[in-house]
Amino acid sequence: MGSLLEGRTILVAGVTMDTSIGFATARVAQEQGATVLISNFGRALGITRRIAKRLPAEAPVLELDVTDPAHLAALPDAIREQLGEDATLDGLVHSIAFGNPETVLGGRFVGAPWADVAQAIQVSSYSLMSLAHAVRPLLSPGAGIVGLTFDASVAWPAYDWMGVAKAGLESCARYLARDLGADGIRVNLVSAGPLKTLAAKAIPGFEEIESGWKERAPLGWDNTDAEPTARAVCALLSDFFPATTGEIVHVDGGYHAMGA
Ligand code: NAP
């Protein structure tokens, strides 16, 4: 147990399984003293409610489809319902992405249909802004927003339009940092190495992306351990990064810094 996030209230959006990066983040945040709410949407909501019981303290589960304007508009009241009328948020974690594996991932870059590309970008990039906008009335000065990316500075096998969506997310984070900075709100991303989550398993050809990672990363890499990523997210949420915004912190064993 620690006290890095003592007294802070954090919404972690995007928790389905206990393999989710969002789950590890919620767990570490609670271990560091935070009050945590988690969210998910649709059919997986029941799974999230069961998984929420596996956290050190069962977290309230909110229904939130980031493509549904009604869910976004109702979010502040849903949070107040859980935490009381004076509720504020000190942290928001965006741990959300989706791309149709049949059409925009797995080597189908050229010729991908716009409707599916648009969906990937709406869910995986635009939603950082729409979610931040939705909770803005609750965000306290000094609050941190942290999202998850996968290094979008290069092209990967199989990642295709999700790579473009991540490039959009990275840019979105910088613009949000620009526009929310005056309110003392920091916006940063963690660029994680490959982790065996539901989202990753849904990418046809994910093994190609992760092959050789362990060997090339100077620190090595365990693709079943989301804790290093979760810890970095929590550090960025904390007041140990008070003057950092628009930043991307790599948590990938050092892979990104090696030429070969
Ligand atoms: P995950 O467990 O599948 O989490 C992704 C979450 O996004 C799921 O809870 C998913 O819900 C949710 N989601 C999808 N569409 C949504 C929508 N319209 N509204 C609200 N939530 C929605 O996989 P993860 O790997 O932890 O992913 C979390 C983040 O980390 C993503 O941004 C991902 O790109 C990023 N990341 C992952 C890796 C990796 O290797 N795994 C590496 C770097 C970055 P459902 O399960 O119900 O669809």
Side-chain angles (χ1 to χ4, degrees), residues 193-194 209-224 252-255 258:
I209 300 180
E210 61 172 0
S211 73
W213 202 286
K214 198 176 182 157
E215 293 70 34
R216 184 166 144 188
L219 295 175
W221 184 250
D222 179 353
N223 63 11
T224 63
D252 62 354
Y255 183 97
M258 300 299 111

Side-chain angles (χ1 to χ4, degrees), residues 198-249:
L198 269 191
K201 285 183 194 156
I203 300 172
F206 183 72
E207 325 71 54
E208 263 192 273
I209 300 180
E210 61 172 0
S211 73
W213 202 286
K214 198 176 182 157
E215 293 70 34
R216 184 166 144 188
L219 295 175
W221 184 250
D222 179 353
N223 63 11
T224 63
D225 184 8
E227 170 124 1
T229 302
R231 284 191 186 202
V233 172
C234 289
L236 284 167
L237 290 171
S238 80
D239 55 12
F240 272 68
F241 278 95
T244 299
T245 196
E247 188 57 275
I248 302 176
V249 175

Side-chain angles (χ1 to χ4, degrees), residues 22-24 26-28 30 36 38 51-59:
F23 181 87
R27 178 174 52 73
V28 173
Q30 287 186 343
V36 174
I38 62 177
I51 290 294
K53 298 188 204 303
R54 296 193 195 164
L55 287 166
E58 184 175 348

Side-chain angles (χ1 to χ4, degrees), residues 16 20-21 40 44 64-66 95-96 148-149 166 194-195 197 199:
T16 300
S20 295
I21 295 171
N40 202 6
L64 173 66
D65 178 345
V66 288
S95 192
I96 291 172
L148 276 307
T149 189
K166 288 301 189 194
L195 290 163
T197 63

